[in-house]
Amino acid sequence: VLFGSQKPSTAFLRRFTGYVEQFDTLIGMLTVKEMLLYTAEMKRPISEPYASKAAAVDDVLDKLALMSCKDTLIGTAMVKGISGGQAKRTNIGIALVTNPRVLFLDEPTSGLDSYTSNEVMRNVKQLAVGGVTICATIHSPTAYCFSLFSRLMMLVKGRIVYFGPISGGLAFAQQACPNLKEMEAGYNDAEFLVDLVTDGDRHGRGDRMADYYDKSALAKENVQHLETLLSKTHTVPKELEDQLNVKSATATPWWWGLWTLMRYRTRKNYKNPNYMSPRVLDKVLLSLLIMTLYLLKGDDYKESNYTNIAAMLFMWVTLPAFGAAAYIPSLVLERGLFIRERADGLYHVITYLLSKVLEEVFLAAIVTAVCAGFVFYGIQLQGAWGIFWLCYFLCLINGIVLAYFIAALSPTMDVANALLPLYAVTLLFFAGFLFRFDNIPPWWKWYSYLNFLRYAWSALMRNQFDAMGDPPFLDTTVTDYYNIGGIDPDAHVGFLAIFFGVFFLLAWTTMSFRKYADR
């Protein structure tokens, strides 16, 4: 495919062409207008005033007959929203909001009834009349849909069997496959043409049909016409030349993309009970359980109670690691949307990942502070509340980015849900409570240094028992018994932050280079 006699770059295709996928990839919590505004904010220049972007969105809504549902939620499988035809037109609108030079549509009528198919393709035809170049693949079109196209290309096993005016396709196919199939009553031209070519392929005549086309006068005319076009000296307009030479695949800087993602998506998520409940309730309920189980145990200086305190601190850092499984769907279920938006040049991977992480971190900071408050003071723990909260918070956000890394790495939700708990269980044995560090076999000691739970639990133990004067325990002191007497709690908190950075980089790298699907 050439634009102005030049081969387009990936950056050009992402920014200045539109691609409408076969299956709708929309954000269910946004309205139709918000969905288009969100795309316009991402794909139109940052220098363009918001009023201009809103006017462009209104124009697209009008062209695609979406004004009547512009303020309706798109919806999901669980939340009622717009109809299938409206969703398909919204998907087309996403591609149109940036005035693309070419619009590619992959089976735009799939899953739609005949009326809705006709409605969608009628809108597409109006776009073509308005000057947008349309390239569409379509299977089993209605007679009306078929009549809307101006030129037809039919392929069998990747070879062209016809390329020419829509009106000449049937006669040409009958000449290529004579005496194969008769047109019976009830057939329309589109249905019969598809059936004729398909039957020819099934009877082993696919290559013969392609050879017939290659030797035909029509093919020679097409080749001659193409050579004539290529031989002409084209003056590429300055605007197109600038677009062809563009280097960045996105129209806006990363920080604007981040701000837009958080303004449109994070704000909606924070208002959505289905999003907030699994991120708040489990932490509150488990914190209440821990507090009531160990109520007032934190300042009990009996030797028999020290193991209880150590166990409570161990559970405090391990629960966030297991709870991280709740964050896997956030990435896996959005994978289709992420692939489409990245391929469309809405944002870079780092922008998307940062928005997801910040969205979770802001919420986690508040929830963990509240939970750490009533657990710390309810149990009457000793030491600094700040260390107690920070270790819990860092364990949680480490679990979140770890979940993102595993979700990005895994092909399916089932694989991700199996890998994360498996990894989390292995961490328990090397955190220092179930198996003291000095008792770990030499060939496994290295793994304890790669365990972020070890650093969190050790820091909490020192924070608690240093404030208690490191009391005697089993002929030694508590910290020496658990082999943590020589550690620096502040350094271990710093190591937790380093683990967060490493998991974030792993997730970013995986999402950047992992190929999930072809477009």
Side-chain angles (χ1 to χ4, degrees):
V1 178
L2 302 179
F3 287 79
S5 302
Q6 297 183 40
K7 185 177 180 180
S9 64
T10 301
F12 172 84
L13 291 174
R14 287 184 174 181
R15 286 182 58 175
F16 301 109
T17 65
Y19 181 85
V20 180
E21 296 181 332
Q22 179 179 355
F23 300 106
D24 301 326
T25 47
L26 303 171
I27 303 172
M29 60 189 171
L30 298 181
T31 66
V32 172
K33 185 171 184 177
E34 286 173 337
M35 185 76 216
L36 296 184
L37 278 171
Y38 159 75
T39 305
E41 293 268 48
M42 288 288 210
K43 294 203 69 176
R44 295 177 79 96
I46 191 173
S47 58
E48 182 180 358
Y50 176 81
S52 175
K53 296 173 185 175
V57 166
D58 286 339
D59 183 55
V60 170
L61 289 170
D62 185 54
K63 284 181 179 177
L64 295 176
L66 289 169
M67 277 295 188
S68 61
C69 63
K70 67 176 183 177
D71 296 320
T72 303
L73 278 180
I74 290 169
T76 63
M78 304 298 292
V79 179
K80 181 175 173 57
I82 57 178
S83 68
Q86 290 168 336
K88 184 63 68 177
R89 281 180 280 145
T90 302
N91 240 7
I92 295 171
I94 289 170
L96 288 176
V97 80
T98 53
N99 298 321
R101 292 190 171 273
V102 180
L103 180 62
F104 300 96
L105 299 103
D106 182 14
E107 299 185 37
T109 60
S110 291
L112 304 179
D113 57 59
S114 59
Y115 176 83
T116 308
S117 297
N118 292 340
E119 182 183 46
V120 168
M121 294 312 298
R122 192 184 303 114
N123 290 128
V124 171
K125 178 68 174 181
Q126 290 302 313
L127 297 173
V129 171
V132 180
T133 301
I134 306 287
C135 296
T137 60
I138 190 166
H139 293 171
S140 303
T142 65
Y144 178 72
C145 279
F146 190 68
S147 70
L148 294 173
F149 288 88
S150 55
R151 293 179 69 81
L152 168 69
M153 177 185 284
M154 293 199 73
L155 302 174
V156 171
K157 296 178 181 176
R159 296 186 65 190
I160 299 174
V161 297
Y162 178 76
F163 180 39
I166 200 82
S167 57
L170 180 55
F172 189 90
Q174 288 175 320
Q175 293 170 10
C177 291
N179 306 317
L180 177 65
K181 189 179 184 70
E182 296 296 327
M183 188 168 182
E184 303 171 4
Y187 263 124
N188 62 51
D189 287 358
E191 292 173 336
F192 183 69
L193 176 58
V194 172
D195 284 3
L196 178 63
V197 173
T198 304
D199 278 354
D201 182 39
R202 288 181 178 177
H203 284 82
R205 300 190 190 181
D207 288 333
R208 188 188 307 177
M209 287 188 288
D211 291 339
Y212 182 84
Y213 170 77
D214 289 342
K215 297 173 183 178
S216 68
L218 177 62
K220 291 182 175 61
E221 288 175 12
N222 287 335
V223 171
Q224 185 178 4
H225 181 60
L226 180 60
E227 289 176 348
T228 302
L229 291 174
L230 291 175
S231 65
K232 291 180 179 179
T233 302
H234 295 276
T235 302
V236 180
K238 181 67 166 60
E239 181 186 7
L240 177 57
E241 186 177 357
D242 291 342
Q243 291 177 356
L244 286 166
N245 293 326
V246 74
K247 301 300 181 184
S248 175
T250 61
T252 56
W254 69 270
W255 57 267
W256 179 261
L258 178 61
W259 166 247
T260 304
L261 281 165
M262 305 212 53
R263 186 154 54 101
Y264 280 89
R265 296 171 66 167
T266 300
R267 182 172 56 86
K268 288 280 188 174
N269 280 334
Y270 284 173
K271 294 179 180 179
N272 184 2
N274 293 327
Y275 176 89
M276 295 294 287
S277 297
R279 287 163 171 78
V280 175
L281 290 181
D282 65 324
K283 295 163 190 63
V284 172
L285 292 176
L286 287 172
S287 296
L288 285 172
L289 176 63
I290 290 174
M291 185 193 72
T292 53
L293 276 173
Y294 295 93
L295 192 65
L296 304 179
K297 293 287 186 180
D299 60 352
D300 184 347
Y301 283 67
K302 293 178 182 176
E303 184 174 344
S304 59
N305 184 53
Y306 298 154
T307 304
N308 293 332
I309 296 175
M312 177 265 145
L313 297 176
F314 178 70
M315 293 302 295
W316 187 243
V317 298
T318 57
L319 287 175
F322 280 94
Y327 299 90
I328 286 177
S330 176
L331 226 59
V332 176
L333 296 180
E334 281 190 6
R335 185 172 290 171
L337 178 66
F338 164 71
I339 293 169
R340 195 264 298 165
E341 291 189 332
R342 183 191 177 197
D344 285 349
L346 266 70
Y347 45 64
H348 296 292
V349 174
I350 186 65
T351 307
Y352 175 76
L353 185 58
L354 268 176
S355 75
K356 299 292 289 183
V357 170
L358 290 176
E359 180 178 291
E360 299 291 1
V361 166
F362 290 151
L363 182 61
I366 297 171
V367 174
T368 54
V370 172
C371 292
F374 63 74
V375 169
F376 186 85
Y377 293 106
I379 298 178
Q380 292 292 296
L381 292 171
Q382 306 300 299
W385 173 85
I387 295 291
F388 182 75
W389 164 72
L390 197 55
C391 286
Y392 182 48
F393 170 67
L394 288 172
C395 280
L396 178 57
I397 63 174
N398 266 290
I400 291 170
V401 289
L402 173 62
Y404 284 172
F405 167 53
I406 291 177
L409 196 64
S410 304
T412 64
M413 181 91 77
D414 290 339
V415 173
N417 282 333
L419 285 178
L420 183 60
L422 175 64
Y423 176 65
V425 167
T426 66
L427 297 180
L428 302 184
F429 295 103
F430 300 90
F433 177 69
L434 299 180
F435 220 106
R436 290 189 298 156
F437 297 127
D438 283 357
N439 294 337
I440 296 175
W443 54 88
W444 274 113
K445 279 189 181 291
W446 62 271
Y447 195 59
S448 68
Y449 293 103
L450 302 178
N451 184 353
F452 69 93
L453 298 184
R454 170 202 174 183
Y455 297 97
W457 182 73
S458 298
L460 288 180
M461 287 287 287
R462 286 295 304 271
N463 183 56
Q464 170 71 24
F465 287 102
D466 282 359
M468 296 175 69
D470 197 10
F473 181 68
L474 298 179
D475 300 326
T476 182
T477 64
V478 173
T479 59
D480 284 342
Y481 176 79
Y482 286 108
N483 312 125
I484 57 175
I487 69 109
D488 181 352
D490 294 335
H492 276 219
V493 172
F495 289 144
L496 289 175
I498 292 173
F499 271 99
F500 174 81
V502 170
F503 288 137
F504 182 89
L505 287 174
L506 288 172
W508 178 26
T509 304
T510 305
M511 292 174 68
S512 296
F513 296 102
R514 178 94 154 81
K515 192 172 184 180
Y516 298 106
D518 292 319
R519 282 185 106 219

